[in-house]
mmCIF file of all heavy atoms in Angstrom:
data_model
loop_
_atom_site.group_PDB
_atom_site.id
_atom_site.type_symbol
_atom_site.label_atom_id
_atom_site.label_comp_id
_atom_site.label_asym_id
_atom_site.label_seq_id
_atom_site.Cartn_x
_atom_site.Cartn_y
_atom_site.Cartn_z
ATOM 1 N N ALA K 703 -4.127 -15.730 -16.200
ATOM 2 C CA ALA K 703 -4.755 -14.680 -17.007
ATOM 3 C C ALA K 703 -5.417 -15.218 -18.272
ATOM 4 O O ALA K 703 -6.406 -14.661 -18.731
ATOM 5 C CB ALA K 703 -3.727 -13.617 -17.369
ATOM 6 N N THR K 705 -4.576 -15.072 -21.464
ATOM 7 C CA THR K 705 -4.579 -14.216 -22.659
ATOM 8 C C THR K 705 -3.215 -14.287 -23.325
ATOM 9 O O THR K 705 -2.257 -14.797 -22.754
ATOM 10 C CB THR K 705 -4.875 -12.736 -22.326
ATOM 11 O OG1 THR K 705 -3.755 -12.183 -21.624
ATOM 12 C CG2 THR K 705 -6.142 -12.566 -21.529
ATOM 13 N N ASP K 706 -3.123 -13.722 -24.523
ATOM 14 C CA ASP K 706 -1.841 -13.666 -25.222
ATOM 15 C C ASP K 706 -0.876 -12.689 -24.555
ATOM 16 O O ASP K 706 0.331 -12.867 -24.626
ATOM 17 C CB ASP K 706 -2.049 -13.252 -26.682
ATOM 18 C CG ASP K 706 -2.799 -14.313 -27.477
ATOM 19 O OD1 ASP K 706 -2.786 -15.491 -27.059
ATOM 20 O OD2 ASP K 706 -3.397 -13.963 -28.505
ATOM 21 N N ASN K 707 -1.407 -11.650 -23.912
ATOM 22 C CA ASN K 707 -0.564 -10.593 -23.355
ATOM 23 C C ASN K 707 -0.052 -10.866 -21.945
ATOM 24 O O ASN K 707 1.016 -10.398 -21.574
ATOM 25 C CB ASN K 707 -1.321 -9.265 -23.347
ATOM 26 C CG ASN K 707 -1.708 -8.830 -24.739
ATOM 27 O OD1 ASN K 707 -0.966 -9.046 -25.694
ATOM 28 N ND2 ASN K 707 -2.865 -8.222 -24.869
ATOM 29 N N TYR K 708 -0.852 -11.578 -21.141
ATOM 30 C CA TYR K 708 -0.518 -11.786 -19.733
ATOM 31 C C TYR K 708 -0.717 -13.247 -19.367
ATOM 32 O O TYR K 708 -1.631 -13.897 -19.847
ATOM 33 C CB TYR K 708 -1.396 -10.928 -18.820
ATOM 34 C CG TYR K 708 -1.685 -9.555 -19.370
ATOM 35 C CD1 TYR K 708 -2.966 -9.191 -19.743
ATOM 36 C CD2 TYR K 708 -0.664 -8.626 -19.543
ATOM 37 C CE1 TYR K 708 -3.239 -7.934 -20.270
ATOM 38 C CE2 TYR K 708 -0.924 -7.376 -20.073
ATOM 39 C CZ TYR K 708 -2.205 -7.031 -20.425
ATOM 40 O OH TYR K 708 -2.457 -5.802 -20.949
ATOM 41 N N ASP K 709 0.136 -13.725 -18.476
ATOM 42 C CA ASP K 709 0.037 -15.115 -18.039
ATOM 43 C C ASP K 709 -0.585 -15.226 -16.643
ATOM 44 O O ASP K 709 -1.315 -16.164 -16.366
ATOM 45 C CB ASP K 709 1.431 -15.756 -18.046
ATOM 46 C CG ASP K 709 2.028 -15.689 -19.440
ATOM 47 O OD1 ASP K 709 1.536 -16.424 -20.314
ATOM 48 O OD2 ASP K 709 2.955 -14.890 -19.661
ATOM 49 N N VAL K 710 -0.272 -14.255 -15.787
ATOM 50 C CA VAL K 710 -0.779 -14.256 -14.417
ATOM 51 C C VAL K 710 -1.318 -12.866 -14.098
ATOM 52 O O VAL K 710 -0.719 -11.852 -14.479
ATOM 53 C CB VAL K 710 0.335 -14.645 -13.410
ATOM 54 C CG1 VAL K 710 -0.148 -14.544 -11.979
ATOM 55 C CG2 VAL K 710 0.848 -16.051 -13.692
ATOM 56 N N PHE K 711 -2.453 -12.833 -13.395
ATOM 57 C CA PHE K 711 -3.107 -11.580 -13.010
ATOM 58 C C PHE K 711 -3.191 -11.532 -11.487
ATOM 59 O O PHE K 711 -3.641 -12.488 -10.857
ATOM 60 C CB PHE K 711 -4.506 -11.524 -13.626
ATOM 61 C CG PHE K 711 -5.295 -10.292 -13.296
ATOM 62 C CD1 PHE K 711 -4.767 -9.031 -13.460
ATOM 63 C CD2 PHE K 711 -6.603 -10.411 -12.841
ATOM 64 C CE1 PHE K 711 -5.516 -7.901 -13.166
ATOM 65 C CE2 PHE K 711 -7.363 -9.290 -12.546
ATOM 66 C CZ PHE K 711 -6.816 -8.030 -12.717
ATOM 67 N N ILE K 712 -2.744 -10.422 -10.914
ATOM 68 C CA ILE K 712 -2.786 -10.235 -9.462
ATOM 69 C C ILE K 712 -3.559 -8.971 -9.147
ATOM 70 O O ILE K 712 -3.353 -7.932 -9.779
ATOM 71 C CB ILE K 712 -1.362 -10.128 -8.881
ATOM 72 C CG1 ILE K 712 -0.664 -11.477 -8.998
ATOM 73 C CG2 ILE K 712 -1.395 -9.656 -7.430
ATOM 74 C CD1 ILE K 712 0.742 -11.495 -8.469
ATOM 75 N N ILE K 720 3.252 -3.351 -2.989
ATOM 76 C CA ILE K 720 3.405 -4.757 -3.372
ATOM 77 C C ILE K 720 4.810 -5.263 -3.041
ATOM 78 O O ILE K 720 5.019 -6.449 -2.833
ATOM 79 C CB ILE K 720 3.062 -4.969 -4.863
ATOM 80 C CG1 ILE K 720 2.981 -6.459 -5.179
ATOM 81 C CG2 ILE K 720 4.041 -4.244 -5.753
ATOM 82 C CD1 ILE K 720 2.406 -6.789 -6.517
ATOM 83 N N GLY K 738 6.680 -15.807 -17.758
ATOM 84 C CA GLY K 738 5.780 -15.051 -18.617
ATOM 85 C C GLY K 738 5.594 -13.638 -18.129
ATOM 86 O O GLY K 738 6.469 -13.062 -17.483
ATOM 87 N N ASN K 739 4.418 -13.092 -18.395
ATOM 88 C CA ASN K 739 4.084 -11.719 -18.024
ATOM 89 C C ASN K 739 3.072 -11.698 -16.895
ATOM 90 O O ASN K 739 2.064 -12.398 -16.932
ATOM 91 C CB ASN K 739 3.516 -10.956 -19.226
ATOM 92 C CG ASN K 739 4.577 -10.658 -20.246
ATOM 93 O OD1 ASN K 739 5.682 -10.268 -19.902
ATOM 94 N ND2 ASN K 739 4.251 -10.834 -21.514
ATOM 95 N N LEU K 740 3.351 -10.855 -15.933
ATOM 96 C CA LEU K 740 2.536 -10.698 -14.735
ATOM 97 C C LEU K 740 1.864 -9.328 -14.795
ATOM 98 O O LEU K 740 2.542 -8.310 -14.933
ATOM 99 C CB LEU K 740 3.453 -10.792 -13.513
ATOM 100 C CG LEU K 740 2.902 -10.587 -12.131
ATOM 101 C CD1 LEU K 740 1.869 -11.655 -11.809
ATOM 102 C CD2 LEU K 740 4.038 -10.657 -11.127
ATOM 103 N N LEU K 741 0.530 -9.320 -14.737
ATOM 104 C CA LEU K 741 -0.237 -8.077 -14.705
ATOM 105 C C LEU K 741 -0.719 -7.864 -13.282
ATOM 106 O O LEU K 741 -1.334 -8.748 -12.695
ATOM 107 C CB LEU K 741 -1.430 -8.147 -15.658
ATOM 108 C CG LEU K 741 -2.356 -6.935 -15.662
ATOM 109 C CD1 LEU K 741 -1.620 -5.692 -16.150
ATOM 110 C CD2 LEU K 741 -3.588 -7.200 -16.509
ATOM 111 N N ILE K 742 -0.417 -6.696 -12.718
ATOM 112 C CA ILE K 742 -0.753 -6.396 -11.328
ATOM 113 C C ILE K 742 -1.669 -5.185 -11.281
ATOM 114 O O ILE K 742 -1.339 -4.118 -11.815
ATOM 115 C CB ILE K 742 0.517 -6.097 -10.510
ATOM 116 C CG1 ILE K 742 1.495 -7.272 -10.612
ATOM 117 C CG2 ILE K 742 0.167 -5.785 -9.057
ATOM 118 C CD1 ILE K 742 2.905 -6.943 -10.192
ATOM 119 N N ASP K 743 -2.835 -5.344 -10.632
ATOM 120 C CA ASP K 743 -3.752 -4.229 -10.420
ATOM 121 C C ASP K 743 -3.567 -3.744 -8.986
ATOM 122 O O ASP K 743 -3.849 -4.459 -8.031
ATOM 123 C CB ASP K 743 -5.199 -4.662 -10.657
ATOM 124 C CG ASP K 743 -6.157 -3.473 -10.680
ATOM 125 O OD1 ASP K 743 -5.792 -2.393 -10.168
ATOM 126 O OD2 ASP K 743 -7.279 -3.633 -11.196
ATOM 127 N N GLN K 744 -3.095 -2.517 -8.842
ATOM 128 C CA GLN K 744 -2.810 -1.918 -7.538
ATOM 129 C C GLN K 744 -3.860 -0.891 -7.136
ATOM 130 O O GLN K 744 -3.558 0.070 -6.439
ATOM 131 C CB GLN K 744 -1.447 -1.211 -7.571
ATOM 132 C CG GLN K 744 -0.308 -2.068 -8.012
ATOM 133 C CD GLN K 744 0.975 -1.271 -8.001
ATOM 134 O OE1 GLN K 744 1.753 -1.407 -7.078
ATOM 135 N NE2 GLN K 744 1.172 -0.426 -8.999
ATOM 136 N N LYS K 752 -2.623 6.624 -13.071
ATOM 137 C CA LYS K 752 -1.734 6.057 -14.086
ATOM 138 C C LYS K 752 -0.840 4.947 -13.549
ATOM 139 O O LYS K 752 -0.294 4.168 -14.317
ATOM 140 C CB LYS K 752 -0.891 7.157 -14.727
ATOM 141 C CG LYS K 752 0.043 7.850 -13.765
ATOM 142 C CD LYS K 752 0.847 8.928 -14.442
ATOM 143 C CE LYS K 752 1.747 9.565 -13.399
ATOM 144 N NZ LYS K 752 2.788 10.352 -13.943
ATOM 145 N N ASN K 753 -0.665 4.858 -12.230
ATOM 146 C CA ASN K 753 0.164 3.809 -11.630
ATOM 147 C C ASN K 753 -0.633 2.566 -11.241
ATOM 148 O O ASN K 753 -0.093 1.666 -10.608
ATOM 149 C CB ASN K 753 0.882 4.338 -10.386
ATOM 150 C CG ASN K 753 1.861 5.427 -10.729
ATOM 151 O OD1 ASN K 753 2.451 5.425 -11.804
ATOM 152 N ND2 ASN K 753 2.018 6.375 -9.830
ATOM 153 N N ARG K 754 -1.893 2.527 -11.601
ATOM 154 C CA ARG K 754 -2.762 1.430 -11.170
ATOM 155 C C ARG K 754 -2.281 0.066 -11.658
ATOM 156 O O ARG K 754 -2.188 -0.877 -10.881
ATOM 157 C CB ARG K 754 -4.195 1.685 -11.645
ATOM 158 C CG ARG K 754 -5.121 0.536 -11.322
ATOM 159 C CD ARG K 754 -6.539 0.820 -11.714
ATOM 160 N NE ARG K 754 -7.345 -0.382 -11.572
ATOM 161 C CZ ARG K 754 -8.633 -0.448 -11.839
ATOM 162 N NH1 ARG K 754 -9.279 0.627 -12.249
ATOM 163 N NH2 ARG K 754 -9.284 -1.585 -11.690
ATOM 164 N N PHE K 755 -1.994 -0.069 -12.932
ATOM 165 C CA PHE K 755 -1.616 -1.373 -13.494
ATOM 166 C C PHE K 755 -0.125 -1.425 -13.785
ATOM 167 O O PHE K 755 0.423 -0.515 -14.410
ATOM 168 C CB PHE K 755 -2.379 -1.651 -14.791
ATOM 169 C CG PHE K 755 -3.814 -2.013 -14.568
ATOM 170 C CD1 PHE K 755 -4.799 -1.049 -14.658
ATOM 171 C CD2 PHE K 755 -4.181 -3.315 -14.279
ATOM 172 C CE1 PHE K 755 -6.140 -1.378 -14.459
ATOM 173 C CE2 PHE K 755 -5.516 -3.657 -14.083
ATOM 174 C CZ PHE K 755 -6.488 -2.680 -14.174
ATOM 175 N N LEU K 756 0.500 -2.498 -13.351
ATOM 176 C CA LEU K 756 1.901 -2.769 -13.639
ATOM 177 C C LEU K 756 2.005 -4.052 -14.442
ATOM 178 O O LEU K 756 1.260 -4.999 -14.201
ATOM 179 C CB LEU K 756 2.690 -2.992 -12.344
ATOM 180 C CG LEU K 756 3.165 -1.808 -11.551
ATOM 181 C CD1 LEU K 756 3.885 -2.294 -10.305
ATOM 182 C CD2 LEU K 756 4.088 -0.938 -12.377
ATOM 183 N N LEU K 757 2.939 -4.076 -15.344
ATOM 184 C CA LEU K 757 3.253 -5.288 -16.090
ATOM 185 C C LEU K 757 4.727 -5.572 -15.868
ATOM 186 O O LEU K 757 5.566 -4.670 -15.982
ATOM 187 C CB LEU K 757 2.992 -5.070 -17.585
ATOM 188 C CG LEU K 757 3.341 -6.237 -18.505
ATOM 189 C CD1 LEU K 757 2.414 -7.427 -18.243
ATOM 190 C CD2 LEU K 757 3.268 -5.821 -19.956
ATOM 191 N N CYS K 758 5.048 -6.800 -15.499
ATOM 192 C CA CYS K 758 6.451 -7.189 -15.414
ATOM 193 C C CYS K 758 6.578 -8.674 -15.730
ATOM 194 O O CYS K 758 5.607 -9.423 -15.676
ATOM 195 C CB CYS K 758 7.076 -6.840 -14.075
ATOM 196 S SG CYS K 758 6.515 -7.774 -12.678
ATOM 197 N N GLU K 759 7.782 -9.052 -16.065
ATOM 198 C CA GLU K 759 8.062 -10.433 -16.405
ATOM 199 C C GLU K 759 8.411 -11.209 -15.143
ATOM 200 O O GLU K 759 8.861 -10.634 -14.145
ATOM 201 C CB GLU K 759 9.229 -10.505 -17.394
ATOM 202 C CG GLU K 759 8.923 -9.852 -18.724
ATOM 203 C CD GLU K 759 10.143 -9.773 -19.626
ATOM 204 O OE1 GLU K 759 11.099 -10.557 -19.445
ATOM 205 O OE2 GLU K 759 10.135 -8.908 -20.519
ATOM 206 N N TYR K 760 8.212 -12.508 -15.209
ATOM 207 C CA TYR K 760 8.655 -13.403 -14.146
ATOM 208 C C TYR K 760 9.210 -14.657 -14.796
ATOM 209 O O TYR K 760 8.894 -14.974 -15.945
ATOM 210 C CB TYR K 760 7.514 -13.734 -13.170
ATOM 211 C CG TYR K 760 6.422 -14.583 -13.781
ATOM 212 C CD1 TYR K 760 6.445 -15.966 -13.660
ATOM 213 C CD2 TYR K 760 5.381 -14.002 -14.487
ATOM 214 C CE1 TYR K 760 5.446 -16.743 -14.237
ATOM 215 C CE2 TYR K 760 4.393 -14.770 -15.060
ATOM 216 C CZ TYR K 760 4.433 -16.137 -14.938
ATOM 217 O OH TYR K 760 3.462 -16.908 -15.515
ATOM 218 N N ILE K 765 10.600 -12.663 -9.867
ATOM 219 C CA ILE K 765 9.871 -11.551 -10.464
ATOM 220 C C ILE K 765 10.907 -10.516 -10.881
ATOM 221 O O ILE K 765 11.689 -10.045 -10.055
ATOM 222 C CB ILE K 765 8.833 -10.986 -9.481
ATOM 223 C CG1 ILE K 765 7.790 -12.077 -9.180
ATOM 224 C CG2 ILE K 765 8.177 -9.734 -10.060
ATOM 225 C CD1 ILE K 765 6.801 -11.739 -8.112
ATOM 226 N N LEU K 766 10.933 -10.209 -12.154
ATOM 227 C CA LEU K 766 11.971 -9.358 -12.735
ATOM 228 C C LEU K 766 11.537 -7.894 -12.675
ATOM 229 O O LEU K 766 10.969 -7.356 -13.624
ATOM 230 C CB LEU K 766 12.256 -9.819 -14.166
ATOM 231 C CG LEU K 766 12.565 -11.319 -14.299
ATOM 232 C CD1 LEU K 766 12.606 -11.744 -15.757
ATOM 233 C CD2 LEU K 766 13.859 -11.671 -13.579
ATOM 234 N N LEU K 767 11.827 -7.254 -11.548
ATOM 235 C CA LEU K 767 11.368 -5.883 -11.316
ATOM 236 C C LEU K 767 11.924 -4.892 -12.324
ATOM 237 O O LEU K 767 11.279 -3.870 -12.601
ATOM 238 C CB LEU K 767 11.732 -5.444 -9.903
ATOM 239 C CG LEU K 767 10.968 -6.135 -8.780
ATOM 240 C CD1 LEU K 767 11.457 -5.644 -7.428
ATOM 241 C CD2 LEU K 767 9.470 -5.920 -8.918
ATOM 242 N N ASP K 768 13.088 -5.175 -12.884
ATOM 243 C CA ASP K 768 13.658 -4.240 -13.855
ATOM 244 C C ASP K 768 12.868 -4.205 -15.168
ATOM 245 O O ASP K 768 13.096 -3.338 -16.009
ATOM 246 C CB ASP K 768 15.138 -4.541 -14.117
ATOM 247 C CG ASP K 768 15.385 -5.945 -14.658
ATOM 248 O OD1 ASP K 768 14.567 -6.849 -14.388
ATOM 249 O OD2 ASP K 768 16.402 -6.136 -15.348
ATOM 250 N N THR K 769 11.902 -5.117 -15.330
ATOM 251 C CA THR K 769 11.048 -5.112 -16.519
ATOM 252 C C THR K 769 9.709 -4.421 -16.252
ATOM 253 O O THR K 769 8.885 -4.316 -17.159
ATOM 254 C CB THR K 769 10.769 -6.546 -17.016
ATOM 255 O OG1 THR K 769 9.981 -7.239 -16.045
ATOM 256 C CG2 THR K 769 12.067 -7.304 -17.279
ATOM 257 N N ALA K 770 9.477 -3.970 -15.024
ATOM 258 C CA ALA K 770 8.178 -3.405 -14.638
ATOM 259 C C ALA K 770 7.900 -2.088 -15.366
ATOM 260 O O ALA K 770 8.782 -1.247 -15.518
ATOM 261 C CB ALA K 770 8.117 -3.191 -13.134
ATOM 262 N N LYS K 771 6.649 -1.952 -15.813
ATOM 263 C CA LYS K 771 6.215 -0.704 -16.438
ATOM 264 C C LYS K 771 4.717 -0.537 -16.226
ATOM 265 O O LYS K 771 3.987 -1.514 -16.078
ATOM 266 C CB LYS K 771 6.563 -0.679 -17.924
ATOM 267 C CG LYS K 771 5.920 -1.797 -18.726
ATOM 268 C CD LYS K 771 6.397 -1.778 -20.164
ATOM 269 C CE LYS K 771 5.860 -2.986 -20.895
ATOM 270 N NZ LYS K 771 6.408 -3.120 -22.229
ATOM 271 N N ASN K 772 4.293 0.711 -16.195
ATOM 272 C CA ASN K 772 2.867 1.005 -16.088
ATOM 273 C C ASN K 772 2.224 0.815 -17.451
ATOM 274 O O ASN K 772 2.801 1.176 -18.477
ATOM 275 C CB ASN K 772 2.638 2.440 -15.615
ATOM 276 C CG ASN K 772 3.075 2.637 -14.193
ATOM 277 O OD1 ASN K 772 4.123 3.191 -13.935
ATOM 278 N ND2 ASN K 772 2.288 2.154 -13.269
ATOM 279 N N ILE K 773 1.027 0.219 -17.433
ATOM 280 C CA ILE K 773 0.299 -0.003 -18.685
ATOM 281 C C ILE K 773 -1.187 0.266 -18.470
ATOM 282 O O ILE K 773 -1.649 0.401 -17.335
ATOM 283 C CB ILE K 773 0.482 -1.443 -19.216
ATOM 284 C CG1 ILE K 773 -0.153 -2.458 -18.258
ATOM 285 C CG2 ILE K 773 1.930 -1.759 -19.471
ATOM 286 C CD1 ILE K 773 -0.503 -3.755 -18.950
ATOM 287 N N ILE K 774 -1.905 0.295 -19.566
ATOM 288 C CA ILE K 774 -3.367 0.324 -19.544
ATOM 289 C C ILE K 774 -3.814 -0.977 -20.210
ATOM 290 O O ILE K 774 -3.642 -1.131 -21.421
ATOM 291 C CB ILE K 774 -3.927 1.548 -20.283
ATOM 292 C CG1 ILE K 774 -3.438 2.827 -19.611
ATOM 293 C CG2 ILE K 774 -5.454 1.489 -20.320
ATOM 294 C CD1 ILE K 774 -3.766 4.092 -20.363
ATOM 295 N N PRO K 775 -4.351 -1.924 -19.429
ATOM 296 C CA PRO K 775 -4.728 -3.218 -19.997
ATOM 297 C C PRO K 775 -6.112 -3.165 -20.639
ATOM 298 O O PRO K 775 -6.793 -2.140 -20.605
ATOM 299 C CB PRO K 775 -4.750 -4.129 -18.776
ATOM 300 C CG PRO K 775 -5.233 -3.223 -17.696
ATOM 301 C CD PRO K 775 -4.614 -1.875 -17.999
ATOM 302 N N GLU K 776 -6.519 -4.305 -21.181
ATOM 303 C CA GLU K 776 -7.863 -4.428 -21.724
ATOM 304 C C GLU K 776 -8.887 -4.175 -20.618
ATOM 305 O O GLU K 776 -8.646 -4.454 -19.448
ATOM 306 C CB GLU K 776 -8.087 -5.837 -22.298
ATOM 307 C CG GLU K 776 -7.233 -6.174 -23.485
ATOM 308 C CD GLU K 776 -5.841 -6.683 -23.100
ATOM 309 O OE1 GLU K 776 -5.612 -7.026 -21.922
ATOM 310 O OE2 GLU K 776 -4.973 -6.711 -23.975
ATOM 311 N N TYR K 779 -9.857 -6.619 -17.635
ATOM 312 C CA TYR K 779 -9.133 -6.749 -16.372
ATOM 313 C C TYR K 779 -9.695 -5.830 -15.298
ATOM 314 O O TYR K 779 -9.690 -6.160 -14.118
ATOM 315 C CB TYR K 779 -7.630 -6.542 -16.581
ATOM 316 C CG TYR K 779 -7.054 -7.767 -17.229
ATOM 317 C CD1 TYR K 779 -6.913 -7.835 -18.608
ATOM 318 C CD2 TYR K 779 -6.746 -8.888 -16.476
ATOM 319 C CE1 TYR K 779 -6.446 -8.987 -19.213
ATOM 320 C CE2 TYR K 779 -6.284 -10.038 -17.070
ATOM 321 C CZ TYR K 779 -6.136 -10.082 -18.437
ATOM 322 O OH TYR K 779 -5.688 -11.234 -19.026
#
Side-chain angles (χ1 to χ4, degrees):
T705 70
D706 293 338
N707 299 324
Y708 322 113
D709 301 289
V710 175
F711 179 50
I712 291 180
I720 190 169
N739 289 317
L740 176 63
L741 177 64
I742 304 163
D743 190 341
Q744 305 180 101
K752 63 180 180 165
N753 295 328
R754 176 177 171 180
F755 286 96
L756 279 179
L757 177 67
C758 70
E759 296 173 22
Y760 68 94
I765 297 173
L766 308 170
L767 291 178
D768 59 334
T769 66
K771 60 185 174 187
N772 292 103
I773 65 157
I774 299 172
E776 295 84 14
Y779 285 94

